[in-house]
Amino acid sequence: MTTMLAEISGGTLITATMVGITLIVLLLLIPLLSGSVMIQERQVGIVVKRFGGRPLEPGRLIALAGEAGYQADTLAPGLHFGFWRWQYRVIKAPVTVVPQGEIALVVAADGAAIPTERILGKVVECDKFQDARKFLANGGEKGRQLGILTGGTYRINEALFTVVTSATAAENGMDASQLLLHHIASDKVGIVTTLDGQPIAAGEIAGAEVLGHDNFQSAQAFLDAGGHRGLQEQILLSGMWNLNPWFVQVEQVPMVEIPIGRVGVVISFVGKAHEDVSGVEFKHGDLVNVGHKGVWVTPLYPGKHPVNTRIMKVETVPTTNIVLNWASRTEAHNYDAKLSSITVRSRDGFAFNLDVAQIIHVGALDAPKVISRVGSMQNLVDHVLQPIVGNYFRNSAQDYTVLDFLCARSERQVEATGHIRAALAAYDVQAIDTLIGDINPPAELMQTQTERKIAEEQRATYEMQEAAQVQRQQLVRQTSLADIQHQVVGAEQGVSIAELTANAAVKKATGEAESTRLRAMGEAEAIRATGQAKAEAYRAGVEALGVQSYTVMQLMQTVGERNVRIVPDVAVNGAGGSPGLVDGLLGVMLRNQHAGPEEVKKG
């Protein structure tokens, strides 16, 4: 029993082992028997048919109808059956990743031949090269493609398409920078040269602008619109652009800057047919409207302008006053660098040099006419101003002597201004002023003039010295007069005072005389009356007292009225000798001490 169980148990174990092995073998054989293939999410299955079906046509690489070789259809992520290993080989390739900010270029290994007039394969509907069957069925062409891949992830059949990214640029003979989005700076413009398209028409230097190609980002639209290969009229402005470097080349140049005080006259070498709009009065050039070939009638005003400088020339014209020097100095604009002093010959046969400055002005609206006529501002100076100004002074100098220029320079300057203003007006240039600077006459003439001038100055100096002496004498005289002026004034005043005093004295004398006369008359009358009264009194006294008695009485009255001393104050007796005299003197001294001053004076 035990033996039987052991045998059964051993048989079961062997059977289980065999079943397991069988299952494992079956699991391993199922993919082979079913032809299953698993494609991961980040993979693309490229199928190669080893045999079966008809062979590919000569020159073809990709099978569209089950021919042996690389198949057009790829395997998407997932489990696929029917791809037996003995008939198919499935290549699991990674998806193609184009980083953001970059582009990828595509090279097709199969398709129709590119026409000889083009160098890049046309763009066909093929889901951005992810559908190889559509690419071939829609007439996709072999070789480098116009279409590009922008940033993203793509399932590309690498058997048909080679994708050039920045990671593989070096392997394909390119620089990684060529596969970056093309950036145009804010103050620049991109001048475009296309490498594919129709040839430029004879006589033209750039392809005319066409529409609908989204600034050269849609290369096929550019070709379909009839775009030409080569230099383009259209430019790219600031921004980021998806450009195929096999289709376009871009050169960045600065915008044309017109500074304040200038305008830009555009000379276009491309554009619409030439149509002159200058009018019948302007016979020395022609002007065209904007967009036509020729000199544009409307200038560019101060600022920055996006101009294609490969097909247009911008001649800047100053609209402020310009000073040009026919002398040894040069202005900052450098237009007068070739000008020098003007050598002229005078009427009296002397050759001498003139320094001349000419101030001109070109109006903004006249600038296109000036450029149309002479081509540039430098040509205006070299071919117009230099001969006009130089020849005028050479011709006019023959009518005057050197001294005329030296002594009447302002008059010569006025004459020159009028003549040159009229001459430049014919060129639409305003002559503001003509200025004569240094005049360099011959040295021998100047020596003679210098000696003459020195003699004249010496004579003038002597005359001035003489005048100064006369003036000094007058000053001395006037100073002396001023010094005695107060005396003169005092004398004059004394005379006046004397005259007034004399007149006053005369008046006074006259008054006194009249007063004396009147007083004398009065006194005479009084004396007469007094005498008569005295006579009457005397007669009465005589009659009353008699002549002798009345006389004695009158005598005594007079002695009393006149204080006549009859007896002396000090009596000196001379009898007995000198003591009497001494006594008299002592008496007088004592009297004077006790008497007052009036009494002494009276005594």
Side-chain angles (χ1 to χ4, degrees):
M1 189 68 179
T2 303
T3 302
M4 292 176 66
L5 290 174
E7 292 177 354
I8 294 172
S9 175
T12 302
L13 179 60
I14 292 172
T15 301
T17 301
M18 293 179 64
V19 170
I21 293 173
T22 302
L23 290 176
I24 291 172
V25 171
L26 289 174
L27 289 174
L28 293 174
L29 291 176
I30 284 174
L32 296 176
L33 297 175
S34 64
S36 63
V37 178
M38 175 63 71
I39 304 300
Q40 301 297 326
E41 289 295 327
R42 303 286 295 179
Q43 292 178 339
V44 57
I46 301 173
V47 180
V48 182
K49 190 174 184 180
R50 299 178 188 275
F51 59 87
R54 65 179 186 271
L56 286 171
E57 297 177 1
R60 298 300 302 272
L61 176 66
I62 305 298
L64 293 175
E67 299 93 341
Y70 286 104
Q71 302 298 301
D73 299 322
T74 58
L75 300 181
L79 183 61
H80 301 270
F81 297 97
F83 295 94
W84 295 277
R85 300 296 176 87
W86 61 83
Q87 187 178 10
Y88 296 97
R89 182 167 66 94
V90 178
I91 302 172
K92 298 179 181 180
V95 295
T96 299
V97 177
V98 180
Q100 294 297 320
E102 297 182 9
I103 63 170
L105 304 177
V106 180
V107 181
D110 200 355
I114 297 175
T116 55
E117 67 271 12
R118 291 190 288 106
I119 64 172
L120 298 176
K122 65 182 179 181
V123 177
V124 296
E125 175 56 37
C126 59
D127 190 20
K128 293 186 178 297
F129 302 103
Q130 296 182 108
D131 192 334
R133 179 174 293 278
K134 282 186 178 181
F135 176 83
L136 296 174
N138 291 335
E141 297 170 342
K142 184 189 301 185
R144 292 181 174 182
Q145 300 297 302
L146 281 172
I148 61 174
L149 297 176
T150 55
T153 302
Y154 302 89
R155 300 185 183 279
I156 304 296
N157 187 340
E158 294 183 354
L160 175 60
F161 301 112
T162 299
V163 179
V164 183
T165 63
S166 59
T168 61
E171 300 172 8
N172 294 273
M174 299 188 67
D175 190 272
S177 62
Q178 293 179 274
L179 299 175
L180 299 175
L181 293 184
H182 205 95
H183 175 247
I184 305 296
S186 59
D187 59 344
K188 294 186 177 182
V189 296
I191 298 178
V192 177
T193 300
T194 59
L195 305 177
D196 205 352
Q198 300 179 13
I200 295 176
E204 298 292 340
I205 64 171
E209 182 176 351
V210 295
L211 303 177
H213 53 83
D214 191 19
N215 291 299
F216 304 98
Q217 295 182 110
S218 177
Q220 189 61 52
F222 175 84
L223 297 179
D224 294 341
H228 297 81
R229 73 180 65 184
L231 181 64
Q232 300 296 306
E233 293 184 18
Q234 184 179 351
I235 58 175
L236 291 177
L237 300 180
S238 173
M240 304 289 289
W241 308 101
N242 291 308
L243 301 177
N244 186 338
W246 290 338
F247 172 63
V248 293
Q249 294 178 347
V250 180
E251 176 189 6
Q252 292 195 46
V253 297
M255 288 187 176
V256 173
E257 182 176 0
I258 308 298
I260 295 175
R262 288 175 175 261
V263 294
V265 178
V266 178
I267 305 171
S268 178
F269 306 115
V270 300
K272 300 177 183 178
H274 183 94
E275 295 180 2
D276 185 16
V277 296
S278 60
V280 295
E281 295 181 356
F282 187 67
K283 299 180 176 60
H284 304 280
D286 49 19
L287 303 173
V288 298
N289 288 322
V290 175
H292 289 254
K293 185 184 298 186
V295 180
W296 289 0
V297 69
T298 303
L300 301 179
Y301 290 94
K304 290 188 175 182
H305 302 269
V307 176
N308 188 338
T309 54
R310 295 293 179 271
I311 62 173
M312 296 178 185
K313 178 182 178 182
V314 179
E315 186 72 26
T316 59
V317 177
T319 54
T320 55
N321 288 350
I322 305 172
V323 179
L324 302 170
N325 295 305
W326 278 259
S328 57
R329 64 183 180 277
T330 301
E331 297 294 331
H333 50 64
N334 215 37
Y335 291 139
D336 53 358
K338 299 179 182 178
L339 303 179
S340 58
S341 298
I342 303 172
T343 301
V344 300
R345 187 171 295 277
S346 64
R347 186 178 63 187
D348 47 1
F350 289 103
F352 60 97
N353 293 331
L354 288 177
D355 287 353
V356 177
Q358 178 65 51
I359 305 174
I360 65 172
H361 173 74
V362 179
L365 298 180
D366 291 330
K369 295 181 181 179
V370 173
I371 298 303
S372 178
R373 182 193 293 265
V374 299
S376 67
M377 285 299 294
Q378 190 62 58
N379 289 344
L380 175 67
V381 175
D382 295 342
H383 303 156
V384 177
L385 281 161
Q386 184 175 17
I388 287 178
V389 175
N391 288 338
Y392 169 76
F393 281 103
R394 292 187 188 95
N395 295 335
S396 64
Q398 297 177 359
D399 297 331
Y400 304 99
T401 65
V402 178
L403 296 181
D404 290 336
F405 274 91
L406 291 173
C407 301
R409 183 174 64 175
S410 59
E411 297 177 7
R412 306 290 82 78
Q413 184 170 288
V414 171
E415 294 171 356
T417 300
H419 176 85
I420 295 173
R421 178 176 290 125
L424 292 183
Y427 292 86
D428 299 293
V429 177
Q430 302 174 30
I432 304 302
D433 203 356
T434 302
L435 306 173
I436 299 176
D438 291 338
I439 301 175
N440 301 309
E444 59 272 17
L445 178 62
M446 285 307 299
Q447 182 178 0
T448 302
Q449 293 298 315
T450 301
E451 293 174 354
R452 180 183 301 175
K453 187 64 177 178
I454 292 174
E456 292 178 356
E457 291 298 327
Q458 288 177 343
R459 184 178 63 184
T461 301
Y462 297 151
E463 292 176 353
M464 293 181 65
Q465 290 176 348
E466 181 181 1
Q469 292 297 330
V470 173
Q471 187 69 24
R472 190 178 66 81
Q473 294 174 1
Q474 293 178 353
L475 177 62
V476 172
R477 183 180 296 109
Q478 293 298 327
T479 303
S480 300
L481 291 176
D483 292 340
I484 64 173
Q485 188 65 30
H486 65 284
Q487 300 178 6
V488 173
V489 172
E492 290 176 350
Q493 294 296 324
V495 170
S496 299
I497 293 172
E499 290 179 353
L500 293 175
T501 303
N503 291 335
V506 170
K507 294 293 185 181
K508 182 178 180 182
T510 302
E512 290 179 351
E514 183 66 20
S515 176
T516 302
R517 185 179 65 81
L518 294 176
R519 186 170 58 252
M521 291 178 62
E523 290 178 354
E525 291 295 331
I527 293 172
R528 185 180 296 111
T530 302
Q532 290 177 354
K534 287 183 178 181
E536 291 293 332
Y538 183 77
R539 282 194 300 269
V542 170
E543 291 176 359
L545 298 177
V547 176
Q548 187 175 3
S549 300
Y550 185 74
T551 300
V552 173
M553 184 183 66
Q554 288 294 322
L555 180 60
M556 294 301 296
Q557 184 178 356
T558 299
V559 170
E561 291 177 353
R562 301 287 179 89
N563 293 322
V564 177
R565 295 179 181 273
I566 299 174
V567 180
D569 292 332
V570 179
V572 178
N573 187 5
S578 59
L581 180 56
V582 174
D583 292 339
L585 292 173
L586 290 175
V588 171
M589 292 175 62
L590 291 173
R591 176 181 172 275
N592 288 340
Q593 289 181 353
H594 291 284
E598 293 294 331
E599 293 179 356
V600 172
K601 184 178 180 180
K602 290 178 180 181

